[in-house]
Amino acid sequence: MRGESAVDARRAGRFADDQGAATVVAVAILGAVVALGVAVVGVLGASVAAQSAANAADASALAAADAVSGAVAGEPCTLAGDLARRNGATLLECRIEGSAAVVSVALALGPVRATASARAGPPGWGG
């Protein structure tokens, strides 16, 4: 029995000094939460950039289509470029296909670069 109590005493000594274990777990959880937060912010930033690029492309295509139809004065692709710049984007491509306008824009939002395309023309126009 005496040998058993010495073993029990060693085991108790080994496991009795577990102070700080909760700190290690808390730091691990905090690190995981911070990593998840950084990932979420990155995904949301990319989503905002993509939506902003789509909005700029839509507005640019509509402006160009209005110029093609004669609703507004001006050269269609010049108007499309102006509207893209007002929305923080750069006009990459502008072409007129019959009565419709097709544009592509790029937008940089921080480290994220998004591109989008849009087509606008009269109702029922099939190209």
Side-chain angles (χ1 to χ4, degrees):
M1 290 250 166
R2 188 161 201 226
E4 289 179 29
S5 63
V7 170
D8 290 340
R10 273 187 277 148
R11 285 186 186 151
R14 185 176 345 146
F15 296 112
D17 190 21
D18 62 354
Q19 287 183 335
T23 302
V24 172
V25 172
V27 167
I29 290 172
L30 183 62
V33 168
V34 167
L36 181 63
V38 168
V40 167
V41 167
V43 168
L44 291 178
S47 176
V48 168
Q51 188 61 49
S52 296
N55 291 342
D58 289 343
S60 298
L62 288 170
D66 283 347
V68 169
S69 72
V72 297
E75 199 277 316
C77 290
T78 301
L79 292 175
D82 290 343
L83 217 55
R85 276 189 296 284
R86 288 183 193 171
N87 284 285
T90 302
L91 185 66
L92 299 176
E93 178 187 15
C94 176
R95 67 181 190 277
I96 306 304
E97 297 177 350
S99 299
V102 178
V103 300
S104 294
V105 300
L107 184 134
L109 189 61
V112 179
R113 184 173 189 265
T115 59
S117 298
R119 166 187 235 116
W125 184 81

